[in-house]
């Protein structure tokens, strides 16, 4: 008998064995995101080609945050601190929340970039991210 939601062993291992990343998550997203919401969001996109940024943002609690909070979230997602989220960072988007999370597929990455890159420069700036997460 199974429950109505997935308890993916991959996701469970992610949170059991990625203690260092969890500490980073807790510190980086402290006061911004709820770990239970993020876990549920990650579980909902554990299958390849299941990622939809609107659904993930809603489940993780990213949607509806203030502009200042979204800038703080963006700063964590901008791994190389360039001021932009480039395609390679976007592909590894889920791993910002858990080191064991899967990479986005090429199709998911392209769709996410297309949705967020409003000026067509091939990267998502903080203003673009804020607009994306606010809709």
């Amino acid at each position: 008998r199974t429950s109505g939601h997935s308890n993916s062993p991959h996701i469970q291992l992610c949170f059991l064995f990625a203690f260092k990343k969890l500490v980073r998550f807790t510190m980086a997203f402290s006061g911004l995101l709820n770990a239970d919401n993020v876990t549920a969001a990650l579980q909902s996109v554990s299958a390849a080609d299941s990622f939809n940024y609107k659904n993930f943002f809603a489940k993780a609690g990213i949607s509806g945050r203030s502009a200042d909070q979204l800038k703080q979230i963006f700063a964590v997602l901008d791994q190389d601190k360039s001021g932009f989220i480039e395609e390679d960072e976007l592909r590894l988007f889920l791993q910002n929340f858990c080191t064991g999370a899967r990479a986005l597929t090429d199709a998911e990455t392209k769709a996410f970039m297309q949705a967020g890159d409003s000026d067509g420069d091939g990267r998502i700036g903080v203003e673009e991210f804020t607009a994306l997460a606010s809709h």
Side-chain angles (χ1 to χ4, degrees):
R1 193 166 84 143
T2 60
S3 63
H5 61 278
S6 170
N7 278 328
S8 167
H10 176 73
I11 297 296
Q12 289 173 355
L13 288 174
C14 176
F15 285 97
L16 289 174
F17 296 111
F19 179 74
K20 184 175 181 182
K21 188 69 168 190
L22 278 177
V23 170
R24 180 179 174 273
F25 168 83
T26 302
M27 294 174 68
F29 293 114
S30 179
L32 295 173
L33 301 176
N34 175 290
D36 290 338
N37 292 346
V38 171
T39 300
L42 287 169
Q43 287 176 336
S44 75
V45 297
S46 61
D49 293 316
S50 64
F51 180 81
N52 173 292
Y53 79 89
K54 288 182 183 181
N55 292 339
F56 185 85
F57 284 7
K59 286 182 182 181
I62 296 170
S63 299
R65 298 289 171 187
S66 72
D68 286 341
Q69 290 171 322
L70 291 173
K71 288 176 184 177
Q72 291 174 16
I73 293 168
F74 177 88
V76 174
L77 300 175
D78 178 18
Q79 291 289 304
D80 65 3
K81 305 304 177 209
S82 67
F84 298 93
I85 300 172
E86 292 89 11
E87 187 174 332
D88 58 332
E89 291 172 310
L90 201 58
R91 183 176 322 288
L92 302 177
F93 174 79
L94 298 176
Q95 294 175 9
N96 288 289
F97 303 95
C98 179
T99 53
R102 70 177 180 84
L104 296 181
T105 65
D106 289 344
E108 289 170 324
T109 302
K110 184 175 181 174
F112 198 1
M113 180 63 76
Q114 188 172 15
D117 179 22
S118 60
D119 65 8
D121 67 355
R123 54 195 188 168
I124 299 172
V126 66
E127 293 83 12
E128 291 169 314
F129 178 78
T130 301
L132 186 67
S134 298
H135 293 112

